[in-house]
């Protein structure tokens, strides 16, 4: 029973990372109705920036806003430079561009920071939260930050003019343009925010898995699984989905002997396929009806 | 997709002269490829063998994406299944390597068909996601413990262990490398011929109709579900045979040879060669085999970035790949000649 509880709790903690990743996936999906396959590499890149700043001796409280801000600008610029020119191209072109970005970021990271793994200290300190606690300080921090990001996002979309404009631009680009919203600017803003959230996820997970250029590949897959499970149109769903994926992954790793500790990726594949087949709109998503 | 005119001309079935420019080009290319190992060194022959294998895999991907309009970021997985089938059959069951090709193709067909069933309900981006997941999970699937006695787990399977080369049949006077090359070439030519005929057939027209307008295709009586899964299966079959050939040529399979990078490489080849233009597979394969060497020379470690930049350039400047450029060039020359 103790083991079971322990696994659920630590699944919940890793779930926080997947939830962050899923959130950034959903952000992009909301903005352009695409899944950004380079999201993980972009997040890893942000994490490397944070690591570099730390290595230069900046304190954590300065590094985090700086890394997140730079990531925001980076995402914004990538959209403006790479994606804007082919906005209206067929889906295949978009997917190819994502794959191209993936290759560029991955290779650039290997080039700049090489492929050796790097330990990253936790921003929340080491050790358990209190004596005998199931959660470590870092795990508690991860969950808290995920929740904070979700609340901030919700507030942003609910209470700010820009948030409203972004929702409008995503829901109905033509009408939004007619009421004076700069739709393509909103798309770029969505990219920036997604990449900032990705940076948060990267910085949170780096102390757990060690930093290297391929760090995020599997995490992105879990993020996708979480986003699909929760519904690609719903940020709250993405967070719930992320937590569920984390818990399922941990329990399966512990209790299904075939899976074992290391081979958990097929679970994400399985989850994605099952959800897409059985309930493509996810737990909380809206069903997208296409008019013909 | 804008590639619809590529094969539309073939469908009109006008009587053509026996000798066309296209056939002459194919014939010259074929003669050149057959003659190649007799004029070049062993390593180059091996590289061209790899090129042909990639071309077959890209051909398979092209059937799916170019002809049927479905996406796959996970064709590396089918390639892996084909490679493992051959490796296991040759190493553990002692089957002649030539006989493993149809089996590998068949297994991949079934695998692709089954994966295509859920894919039926997934459009565009979702299908890309599902196949992305497949590609990333594949190395771990191959390491799973219940099949470890077959796949050799992390170590993989060494085919034709060291002393043993694929034997040259009928006592032909070739060294093993040359024979592997020629064998690959003949399989490739056969598969290319097969793919062309599939595309020109009723089945191919149905697949293209689904690509161009699924709703219209359905109302014309095309069984959309059947042809979409069929396209997936066929595509997996081609790619699987390519994987099987790679097991014969490289003589080694291991989970980490079939990572997501392989699927990326196949996609790059498809886009560079031209989506929807079958001979483009050869151009795409040439690109993915030789350009990384070239890129490594320019800057070590940045070949991935080079690949990426080139992909973006292709999408911006020549969205139909080499095939599109070639067609545009030929069209311009024809117009020039006609205006005289």
């Amino acid at each position: 029973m103790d083991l079971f509880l322990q696994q659920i709790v630590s699944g919940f903690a890793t779930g926080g990372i997947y939830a962050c990743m899923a959130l950034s996936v959903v952000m992009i999906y909301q903005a352009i109705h695409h899944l950004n396959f380079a999201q993980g590499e972009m997040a890893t890149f942000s994490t490397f920036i944070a690591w570099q700043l730390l290595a230069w001796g900046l304190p954590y409280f300065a590094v985090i806003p700086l890394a997140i801000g730079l990531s925001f600008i980076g995402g914004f610029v990538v959209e403006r430079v790479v994606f804007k020119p082919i906005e209206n191209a067929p889906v295949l072109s978009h997917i190819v561009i994502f794959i191209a970005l993936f290759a560029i970021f991955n290779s650039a990271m290997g080039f700049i920071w090489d492929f050796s793994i790097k330990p990253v200290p936790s921003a929340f300190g080491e050790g358990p939260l209190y004596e005998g606690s199931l959660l470590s300080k870092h795990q508690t921090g991860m969950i808290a930050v995920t929740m904070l990001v979700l609340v901030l996002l919700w507030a942003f979309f609910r209470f700010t003019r820009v948030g409203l404009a972004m929702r409008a631009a995503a829901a109905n680009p033509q009408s939004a343009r007619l009421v004076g919203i700069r739709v393509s600017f909103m798309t770029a803003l969505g990219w920036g925010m997604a990449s900032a959230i990705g940076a948060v996820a990267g910085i949170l997970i780096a102390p757990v898995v060690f930093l290297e250029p391929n760090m995020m590949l599997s995490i992105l897959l879990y993020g996708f699984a979480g986003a699909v499970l929760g519904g690609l149109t719903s940020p709250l769903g993405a967070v719930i989905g992320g937590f569920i994926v984390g818990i399922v992954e941990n329990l399966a790793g512990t209790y299904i002997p075939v899976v074992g500790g290391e081979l958990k990726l097929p679970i994400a594949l399985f989850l994605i396929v099952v959800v897409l087949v059985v309930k493509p709109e996810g737990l909380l998503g809206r069903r997208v009806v296409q008019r013909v | 997709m804008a590639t619809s005119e590529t094969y539309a001309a073939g469908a009109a079935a006008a009587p053509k002269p026996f000798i066309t420019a296209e056939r002459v080009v194919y014939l010259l290319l074929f003669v050149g490829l057959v003659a190649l190992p007799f004029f070049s060194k062993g390593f180059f022959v091996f590289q061209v063998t790899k090129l042909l294998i990639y071309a077959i895999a890209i051909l398979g991907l092209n059937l799916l994406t170019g002809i049927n309009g479905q996406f796959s970021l996970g064709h590396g997985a089918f390639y892996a299944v084909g490679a493992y089938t051959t490796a296991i059959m040759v190493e553990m069951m002692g089957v002649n390597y030539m006989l493993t090709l149809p089996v590998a193709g068949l297994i991949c067909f079934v695998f692709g068909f089954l994966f295509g069933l859920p894919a039926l309900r997934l459009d565009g981006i979702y299908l890309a996601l599902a196949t992305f997941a497949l590609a990333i999970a594949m190395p771990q699937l191959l390491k799973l413990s219940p099949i470890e006695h077959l796949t050799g787990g992390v170590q993989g399977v060494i085919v034709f262990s060291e002393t043993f080369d694929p034997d040259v049949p009928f006592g032909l006077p070739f060294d093993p490398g040359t024979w592997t090359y020629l064998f690959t070439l003949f399989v490739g030519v056969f598969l290319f011929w097969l793919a062309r005929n599939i595309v020109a057939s009723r089945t191919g027209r149905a697949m293209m109709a689904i690509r161009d307008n699924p709703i219209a295709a359905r109302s014309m009586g095309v069984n959309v579900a059947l042809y979409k899964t069929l396209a997936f299966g066929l595509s997996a079959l081609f790619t699987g045979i390519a994987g099987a050939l790679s097991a014969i040529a490289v003589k080694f399979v291991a989970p980490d040879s079939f990572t997501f990078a392989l699927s990326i490489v196949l996609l790059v080849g498809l886009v560079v060669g031209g989506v929807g233009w079958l001979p483009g597979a050869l151009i795409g394969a040439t690109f993915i085999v030789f350009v990384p060497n070239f890129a490594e020379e320019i800057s070590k470690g940045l070949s991935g970035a080079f690949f990426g930049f080139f992909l973006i350039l292709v999408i911006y400047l020549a969205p139909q790949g080499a095939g599109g450029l070639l067609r545009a060039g030929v069209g311009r020359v024809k117009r020039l000649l006609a205006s005289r």
Side-chain angles (χ1 to χ4, degrees):
Chain A
M1 195 60 210
D2 243 17
L3 179 69
F4 182 72
L5 207 65
Q6 173 70 49
Q7 287 308 319
I8 290 212
V9 169
S10 81
F12 197 66
T14 24
I17 304 300
Y18 303 157
C20 262
M21 227 35 224
L23 259 182
S24 68
V25 166
V26 166
M27 281 299 306
I28 287 271
Y29 188 81
Q30 292 280 45
I32 56 171
H33 288 275
H34 273 313
L35 301 170
N36 183 355
F37 292 102
Q39 193 92 69
E41 307 308 293
M42 289 167 70
T44 314
F45 201 87
S46 309
T47 315
F48 265 113
I49 291 176
W51 178 84
Q52 188 65 66
L53 293 174
L54 279 175
W56 281 338
L58 268 72
Y60 235 123
F61 65 85
V63 165
I64 288 176
L66 212 58
I68 292 175
L70 284 174
S71 308
F72 180 86
I73 296 169
F76 192 89
V77 170
V78 165
E79 200 279 342
R80 290 282 92 172
V81 174
V82 180
F83 222 79
K84 178 93 197 327
I86 55 149
E87 248 176 337
N88 300 317
V91 183
L92 179 70
S93 304
H94 288 183
I95 293 177
V96 172
I97 292 285
F98 286 133
I99 297 299
L101 284 176
F102 180 99
I104 292 173
F105 276 112
N106 191 294
S107 158
M109 283 186 287
F111 184 72
I112 304 173
W113 290 289
D114 75 55
F115 284 91
S116 63
I117 58 170
K118 299 175 173 57
V120 176
S122 167
F124 307 104
E126 308 295 324
L129 185 59
Y130 54 87
E131 202 64 34
S133 154
L134 283 175
L135 285 171
S136 71
K137 278 184 190 147
H138 186 74
Q139 285 172 326
T140 320
M142 289 198 307
I143 296 170
V145 170
T146 309
M147 294 303 183
L148 181 70
V149 170
L150 180 67
V151 170
L152 284 179
L153 265 186
W154 174 78
F156 172 76
F157 280 117
R158 182 74 184 75
F159 296 119
T160 67
R161 283 186 67 87
V162 183
L164 183 65
M166 278 180 75
R167 280 195 334 208
N172 193 338
Q174 263 177 334
S175 307
R177 198 168 287 125
L178 287 179
V179 296
I181 294 167
R182 292 164 61 192
V183 172
S184 87
F185 182 78
M186 293 300 152
T187 308
L189 216 55
W191 271 71
M193 285 174 63
S195 120
I197 299 171
V200 173
I203 295 169
L204 285 178
I205 193 136
V208 184
V209 295
F210 296 115
L211 181 60
E212 50 108 8
N214 297 316
M215 172 180 86
M216 276 289 183
L217 188 57
S218 48
I219 292 164
L220 176 65
L221 194 59
Y222 293 122
F224 276 144
V228 167
L229 180 63
L232 280 168
T233 46
S234 155
L236 177 65
V239 169
I240 295 175
F243 280 122
I244 294 178
V245 171
I247 292 170
V248 167
E249 180 219 2
N250 244 311
L251 290 181
T254 315
Y255 291 105
I256 304 176
V258 174
V259 177
E262 295 295 309
L263 306 178
K264 296 174 184 169
L265 277 177
I267 295 175
L269 167 69
F270 180 75
L271 265 177
I272 288 176
V273 171
V274 167
V275 173
L276 285 180
V277 169
V278 177
K279 199 167 164 31
E281 69 272 24
L283 294 176
L284 298 181
R286 271 177 294 107
R287 186 163 203 124
V288 180
V289 183
Q290 220 168 23
R291 188 150 55 163
V292 291
Chain B
M1 212 164 289
T3 47
S4 48
E5 76 270 26
T6 323
Y7 286 97
K16 271 200 241 169
F18 185 71
I19 299 173
T20 59
E22 200 189 359
R23 282 193 176 145
V24 171
V25 170
Y26 282 142
L27 192 69
L28 286 179
L29 191 66
F30 179 69
V31 171
L33 282 172
V34 170
L36 179 105
F38 304 105
F39 296 102
S40 56
K41 292 211 177 76
F43 181 66
F44 185 70
V45 173
F46 175 70
Q47 278 197 317
V48 182
T49 311
K50 260 175 70 184
L51 186 158
L52 290 174
I53 291 170
Y54 277 136
I56 296 171
I58 295 168
L59 189 65
L61 189 55
N62 210 342
L63 278 181
L64 183 73
T65 306
I67 305 301
N68 195 223
Q70 303 189 75
F71 303 110
S72 171
L73 296 177
H75 258 49
F78 299 119
Y79 191 88
V81 171
Y84 265 90
T85 308
T86 289
I88 290 168
M89 284 181 76
V90 170
E91 262 321 278
M92 318 237 163
M93 305 174 196
V95 183
N96 183 301
Y97 66 94
M98 285 194 229
L99 296 179
T100 64
L101 287 194
V103 182
L106 198 67
I107 288 180
C108 286
F109 179 81
V110 173
F111 186 46
F113 194 86
L114 291 179
F115 199 82
L117 280 179
L120 264 185
R121 300 194 47 176
L122 313 177
D123 277 332
I125 198 77
Y126 292 102
L127 187 57
L129 172 61
T131 50
F132 175 77
L134 178 66
I136 292 186
M138 198 62 201
Q140 291 206 349
L141 282 171
L142 290 170
K143 287 179 203 161
L144 283 183
S145 51
I147 52 168
E148 207 170 349
H149 61 284
L150 286 176
T151 59
V154 185
Q155 275 93 37
V157 183
I158 296 169
V159 197
F160 314 123
S161 31
E162 288 182 42
T163 53
F164 192 79
D165 274 310
D167 33 273
V168 183
F170 318 122
L172 291 171
F174 301 134
D175 65 278
T178 310
W179 168 246
T180 313
Y181 169 80
L182 288 176
F183 180 61
T184 309
L185 179 62
F186 289 126
V187 173
V189 168
F190 172 72
L191 287 176
F192 181 67
W193 172 79
L194 196 68
R196 267 183 76 96
N197 283 357
I198 289 173
V199 170
S201 72
R202 188 184 159 85
T203 309
R205 285 201 302 278
M207 287 174 181
M208 285 185 280
I210 293 170
R211 169 195 70 192
D212 293 335
N213 193 334
I215 294 159
R218 181 169 300 172
S219 46
M220 295 291 286
V222 173
N223 186 339
V224 173
L226 176 69
Y227 283 110
K228 274 183 131 176
T229 36
L230 198 64
F232 224 104
L234 276 175
S235 164
L237 182 147
F238 277 71
T239 308
I241 291 181
L245 285 168
S246 87
I248 294 170
V250 183
K251 299 175 193 163
F252 176 61
V253 294
D256 292 328
S257 328
F258 307 108
T259 55
F260 182 50
L262 175 64
S263 299
I264 294 187
V265 160
L266 294 181
L267 186 76
V268 172
L270 172 70
V271 172
V272 169
V275 179
W277 188 61
L278 296 186
L282 211 52
I283 301 172
T286 311
F287 179 84
I288 58 181
V289 170
F290 289 110
V291 167
N293 301 345
F294 174 68
E296 283 284 313
E297 269 170 35
I298 298 176
S299 156
K300 238 177 160 48
L302 270 182
S303 67
F306 181 80
F307 252 36
F309 277 121
F310 197 85
L311 262 189
I312 293 179
L313 276 187
V314 169
I315 290 293
Y316 283 175
L317 304 177
Q320 300 194 30
L325 288 182
L326 212 63
R327 274 200 302 281
V330 169
R332 189 164 288 183
V333 170
K334 270 187 187 160
R335 250 177 290 140
L336 260 177
L337 292 178
S339 66
R340 288 223 169 138

